[in-house]
Structure formats: C-alpha cells, structure tokens
Amino acid sequence: MDIFLIRLLQFMLAIGLLVLLHEGGHFFFAKLFGIRVEKFYLFFDPSIWKWDGSLFKFKPRNSDTQYGVGWLPLGGYCKISGMIDESFDTEQMKQPAQPWEFRSKPAWQRLLVMIGGVLVNFLLALFIYSMILFYWGDTYIPVKDMNLGMKFNTEAKALGFKDGDILIGTEKGEFKDFSADLYRDLSEAKRVDLIRNGKKMSLNLPGDINLLGMLKAEPAFVRPLVPAVVDSVMADTPAEAIGLQKGDKIIAFNGKPIDSYNEFTDQIGVLEDMMTAAETHADSMKIRTTTIVVSRNAGKGIADTLSVVLTPELRVGFAVKAFVGLYKPYTREYGFLESIPAGIKYGWNVLAGYVGDMKYVFTADGAKSLGGFGAIGSLFPPVWDWYLFWKMTAFLSIILAFMNILPIPALDGGHVLFLIYEIITRRKPSETFMIRAEYVGFGILILLMVVANLNDILRWLGYM
C-alpha cells in the first residue's frame, strides 16, 4: 500500500503541475490579446445534484475569471469566452459576438491561444531536462563497456547474434546506454557492430525489425548478460533452507543447464506457464519441487545438487547483482550554459522517438499495449526519488504536448487544424460544424480512455 500511495502522490503531483501549466499557456495568450477567461480550473468540476463540483474556488475582486479545483482528476480546463470547447456552452454562442470574445479576435491570435498549452508543455520538458543535466549530470553505463556481453532470444540468434556478444553500435553511431533507444536503433539498422570473442565484427540486419515485437518478446530480444552468482539470500526462504550461500554459482536449474541469471529467470517463466495448467495441489507441488545445481568456491569446488520446494509464487529467495552493479557508471557533468542545448537535444530525441513509435499504436499489438492511468502511474518509482520524478514529469510533458497537438477535434490540435483552414481559405467553419466536430472528438477521446484503462484492468487480472 505504501508503494501504491507513493506512486499515486507522484502521479498526482506531476499531472497536476503539467495540467496547470498547460492551461496556463492558453490563459497567458488569452489575457495577452484581451480575451475574457471565465474559469480556470485544475481538474474537472461536473456538477452533482445541487453541488457545482468545485472542491475549491475563488474569484478575485475586479476579475472576470473564477479560479478553482474540480473533483474529477482527469485534466483541467480554461473556459474562454466565445469559444466552442469541452464545456459545450452553445447558449453563449447564440448571443451576438462581443469584442472580448475568442471568436471576435483575428485568426492568428486565436491560433496562438490554442497552441499556448502545447508550447508551454514542450518548453517545460526541455527546461526540466536541462536542469536535470545541470544538477545531476548524465550518468549511464556505456553499452560498449558491458564486457560480459548480452543475452539474446531465438529471433535475435536467427539474425546472427550470439550470447556474449558486446554491442557497439550501428551505422547511425555508437550505442549510448541500454535503453529503448538501443532497441529502436537495432530495429532500423542495416548493420550492427559488435565484439565477439575479443574480435570486432559486423552483422547485416534487415532494417525493419518490428520494434514492438522486440520489446514485448519473452524472453527479450536482447538483455545484458547477468551471471547466475548468488549475491544475497533472504531469510526464511527456500534458498536459506537448502543452504544457498553468497558466491554460489547456479549451473543448472530444473534439469536444464544455466549459463546466466537470464536463463534462470527464463526457466522460472517456463514453470509459471506450467502452473497455469495445474489443476490440483499435487500438480502444483510437483511443479514447485525441483533441483538447483550449484558450483562453490569460485567454481573450484564440486558441484552440489540441491532439492528445493519453491514458494507458491515460484520464488527461491536469493538475489544476484543487477547489471548496473556489475559495471562502473560514467557521469558527464554540465555547466549551466552547457545544460541548455544538451537538454534541448535530449528532449528533442525523446520526442522524435515517441513520435516514431506511434505507428505501432495502429496495430493489434499496439492497441493492446495502450495504458491508462494505472500504466502511467506504475512508471513512477516505488520510492520517492526526485531525479526519477522530474525525468518522468518531463517525459509526460512531452507526451501531453504531442497528444494535444494531434488534429483531433476536442484537442488543441483539432482547433489548430480548423484555424489553419480558416487562415488559408479566409472562411470560418460554421458553428454547427464546430459543435458537431467537438462532440465527435470528445467521443474519440472517451473511447481511447476506456480502451487504455480497460487494458490496465485486463493486465491486472492477468488476461493480457
């Protein structure tokens, strides 16, 4: 529960900040051009019976704007006079246009009002990335320094990779760290450079490997190779009961030879698949009862075969060193002036990668990979870490900017599309058309939200 609350608080703080500043972008340009803003709200405030839906509200003296916080934490809004938006205030549009209204202003001013939120979110992300680099620097483990090499799945081996290969880069350049960018580069590469058995060599790749398939594969297309050497043993676990000790090297599990911790986890996955078919307690006990073969004294001792009964969750109760603990990280530090262009470049690369991956959303597997509030919240760390919090907030700001500029009615991008049409043709779309488009766009957004959050529920129930 503590982990859930920590993630929830981080999620609410990040979303609240991003929504507030996004709507603040619209608010700034509206005020700049003398457009009246009737309401400025964090979260939505749909009324319930006689309650107007506001948790908090106030209206400064001599101000036309009511500020408040709604009860429904699905975003926020800035209600601008004379504009067809998610409030669907059609009565106002029936009245004669007033000089302080959105619809009375030149198209270029209305365009700036509509892109204000996206602009703020994008600039905010670049600013956060710059300040992260300035304060913390950029710490990572260069892929070329991972001298234990990588572990590859069957699909990767069919392309010529071998376990233990040390990846260097592609025709695009060297890999930086082990991240989604490495997968993205491999998926588009015609050539990959690597070191095998101490010799540098290259493999030809097709250049169009399905990125989503690579990321979703079990076992993964490529993973850093982690030795199956016990680093610690948890108390009151099967590992303690059978006498596993720090330094023991697992060389076989469940009757299968093991050359790495990666293969150990793969075999656990095989047992998990078998457990789904177990019908009785005897069936599950048969699966849980297995053997571990260990080599002791740094491989100089005689191998011991140990019988073990795994927990119902198929846990043994030992840990190995994570791959980040196997290598010395490299940190590049930035001065204040250096951090700004570096942060801009970093943010632009994040945006380019995200946009490039959007094509997978329109596939069957892509639709299944959509995630709602639960999936987003789970991306935050289980402990409060300001570095990871700000990095995740910047990423969400990039996503919010991109998603809002999509040309879908009810989003900022839909309004921008119609304004560009007006600027080019010098004709305004009719108010009837705009209202209908708003309803259609709103319906699309609700459908996407339902699908994304339904995926979260199905994943939680174990159906996906």
Side-chain angles (χ1 to χ4, degrees):
M1 181 59 72
D2 289 341
I3 290 176
F4 172 78
L5 288 176
I6 289 172
R7 281 179 164 154
L8 178 63
L9 287 172
Q10 291 180 90
F11 173 72
M12 295 297 292
L13 178 59
I15 292 298
L17 175 66
L18 296 180
V19 168
L20 193 66
L21 292 175
H22 176 91
E23 299 303 330
H26 296 306
F27 182 89
F28 171 79
F29 283 105
K31 289 293 188 180
L32 181 66
F33 300 130
I35 302 172
R36 182 174 295 175
V37 178
E38 299 174 16
K39 296 177 76 173
F40 184 88
Y41 264 62
L42 175 63
F43 305 148
F44 294 114
D45 60 334
S47 58
I48 301 176
W49 197 36
K50 295 183 179 180
W51 180 41
D52 68 359
S54 300
L55 296 177
F56 166 78
K57 62 180 179 180
F58 76 99
K59 188 173 185 179
R61 184 179 298 179
N62 301 322
S63 174
D64 298 313
T65 307
Q66 176 179 293
Y67 302 87
V69 178
W71 65 271
L72 187 61
L74 297 180
Y77 70 98
C78 180
K79 190 176 186 309
I80 297 172
S81 295
M83 176 182 168
I84 299 170
D85 58 12
E86 61 270 17
S87 68
F88 298 109
D89 187 357
T90 56
E91 291 301 317
Q92 184 184 69
M93 304 305 292
K94 294 177 182 178
Q95 306 301 319
Q98 301 298 322
W100 62 78
E101 289 186 333
F102 179 82
R103 55 180 165 168
S104 300
K105 300 299 179 179
W108 68 271
Q109 291 185 5
R110 285 180 279 134
L111 182 63
L112 286 174
V113 171
M114 293 317 306
I115 66 173
V118 168
L119 182 63
V120 166
N121 280 133
F122 185 61
L123 293 178
L124 174 67
L126 300 183
F127 174 75
I128 293 175
Y129 282 131
S130 297
M131 293 303 98
I132 287 174
L133 293 176
F134 171 64
Y135 189 81
W136 284 285
D138 190 11
T139 300
Y140 59 94
I141 298 171
V143 175
K144 65 180 181 180
D145 291 348
M146 296 182 181
N147 53 28
L148 294 175
M150 301 289 169
K151 189 77 176 173
F152 300 90
N153 69 5
T154 304
E155 290 76 13
K157 289 176 179 177
L159 294 170
F161 291 102
K162 290 186 177 181
D163 290 339
D165 285 349
I166 302 170
L167 299 179
I168 299 175
T170 69
E171 68 270 19
K172 290 184 175 182
E174 280 194 357
F175 296 123
K176 179 187 173 186
D177 55 1
F178 190 85
S179 64
D181 287 338
L182 180 143
Y183 277 86
R184 191 175 291 112
D185 287 349
L186 284 175
S187 71
E188 300 171 351
K190 294 284 188 179
R191 186 197 80 239
V192 60
D193 301 321
L194 52 86
I195 295 175
R196 179 179 295 170
N197 298 325
K199 296 180 180 180
K200 188 174 181 180
M201 60 174 292
S202 298
L203 293 177
N204 294 323
L205 295 180
D208 59 353
I209 305 174
N210 184 283
L211 177 60
L212 189 61
M214 294 172 71
L215 293 171
K216 290 173 68 68
E218 290 291 343
F221 185 89
V222 56
R223 299 164 286 172
L225 193 151
V226 177
V229 177
V230 177
D231 185 58
S232 61
V233 176
M234 291 72 165
D236 302 320
T237 62
E240 184 184 55
I242 64 174
L244 273 187
Q245 302 172 15
K246 182 175 181 177
D248 286 351
K249 182 179 181 180
I250 299 173
I251 58 176
F253 175 66
N254 196 35
K256 304 290 184 182
I258 296 296
D259 68 0
S260 62
Y261 185 67
N262 310 74
E263 284 199 0
F264 176 84
T265 57
D266 291 346
Q267 288 301 314
I268 290 291
V270 171
L271 296 182
E272 288 174 343
D273 291 340
M274 294 171 64
M275 284 290 280
T276 60
E279 296 180 353
T280 65
H281 177 68
D283 291 339
S284 63
M285 285 301 297
K286 185 177 180 180
I287 296 168
R288 288 167 53 196
T289 304
T290 185
T291 57
I292 295 178
V293 181
V294 299
S295 176
R296 289 175 165 158
N297 299 323
K300 298 176 182 177
I302 299 173
D304 290 333
T305 301
L306 308 172
S307 295
V308 62
V309 179
L310 308 182
T311 69
E313 298 79 22
L314 300 180
R315 301 291 179 262
V316 181
F318 71 92
V320 299
K321 278 189 177 181
F323 89 91
V324 293
L326 297 171
Y327 306 103
K328 183 179 179 180
Y330 167 78
T331 300
R332 178 176 178 181
E333 297 182 350
Y334 292 86
F336 181 77
L337 294 180
E338 288 179 304
S339 70
I340 296 174
I344 292 172
K345 181 180 179 181
Y346 189 100
W348 184 258
N349 289 338
V350 170
L351 176 63
Y354 183 76
V355 173
D357 296 344
M358 282 297 292
K359 60 178 179 283
Y360 296 105
V361 172
F362 303 102
T363 65
D365 286 339
K368 291 179 183 178
S369 69
L370 286 174
F373 300 117
I376 296 172
S378 67
L379 295 175
F380 286 94
V383 295
W384 200 286
D385 184 310
W386 283 111
Y387 168 77
L388 295 176
F389 169 81
W390 286 117
K391 199 168 184 179
M392 189 62 205
T393 300
F395 179 62
L396 290 179
S397 195
I398 289 275
I399 293 176
L400 187 60
F402 176 73
M403 295 301 293
N404 264 284
I405 205 62
L406 291 176
I408 299 174
L411 291 178
D412 296 342
H415 292 280
V416 168
L417 178 66
F418 297 137
L419 281 166
I420 292 175
Y421 167 83
E422 179 184 339
I423 291 171
I424 294 173
T425 65
R426 299 185 182 277
R427 291 191 305 169
K428 275 188 179 183
S430 70
E431 291 180 1
T432 301
F433 171 80
M434 292 293 290
I435 291 170
R436 289 176 179 173
E438 195 78 11
Y439 276 113
V440 170
F442 198 73
I444 292 172
L445 295 181
I446 292 296
L447 178 62
L448 287 173
M449 188 177 296
V450 169
V451 170
N453 285 284
L454 180 60
N455 284 348
D456 283 352
I457 295 171
L458 292 175
R459 276 190 284 267
W460 181 66
L461 295 174
Y463 291 107
M464 289 182 65

